[in-house]
Amino acid sequence: MSRVDVNIMGQSYSMLCRDGEERALREAAIYLDSKMKVIRDAGKVKGNDRIAVLAALGVAAEFLSVKSPQGPLSDLTILEVKQKISAMHTVLDSALTPQENLF
């Protein structure tokens, strides 16, 4: 494990990560810091906790809208894939439930 020190909105954080993942963690902290500063600088939201939640929601929305660059699911966002998987679970559950009564 490696210790990484990052700074987000003027606050220092010391975190552990797996060896070799230090750069990714630093880049994630820089990205989050920039998102939070944009929200803070807009001046409409007060309090670092609220700014952090809004930034996290923005990052989550970005993540869920990402599409795979290639492959059979490349035309779907991550959110759409999750929705399709959930729909498949529902279909499977409804098809398998009557089977449980046989045993």
Side-chain angles (χ1 to χ4, degrees):
M1 296 295 276
S2 296
R3 183 168 301 280
V4 176
D5 295 318
V6 298
N7 192 298
I8 300 171
M9 295 261 300
Q11 180 71 39
S12 294
Y13 297 91
S14 184
M15 299 179 228
L16 291 176
C17 67
R18 293 185 196 131
D19 292 334
E21 294 182 355
E22 299 88 355
R23 181 177 177 207
L25 181 56
R26 283 189 189 96
E27 288 177 7
I30 290 168
Y31 185 73
L32 179 60
D33 183 56
S34 69
K35 291 290 188 182
M36 289 179 68
K37 285 179 179 176
V38 166
I39 294 169
R40 179 199 64 200
D41 294 346
K44 296 180 181 178
V45 179
K46 301 289 186 219
N48 286 351
D49 57 335
R50 291 179 178 267
I51 292 171
V53 168
L54 288 176
L57 284 171
V59 171
E62 288 174 20
F63 171 74
L64 291 173
S65 68
V66 170
K67 293 184 178 183
S68 173
Q70 58 189 0
L73 302 176
S74 62
D75 61 330
L76 300 174
T77 65
I78 291 173
L79 180 59
E80 291 168 328
V81 170
K82 290 180 81 148
Q83 290 169 338
K84 288 195 177 292
I85 290 171
S86 178
M88 287 189 281
H89 279 266
T90 302
V91 169
L92 288 171
D93 286 345
S94 64
L96 294 174
T97 300
Q99 299 290 326
E100 291 176 4
N101 294 331
L102 297 175
F103 301 103

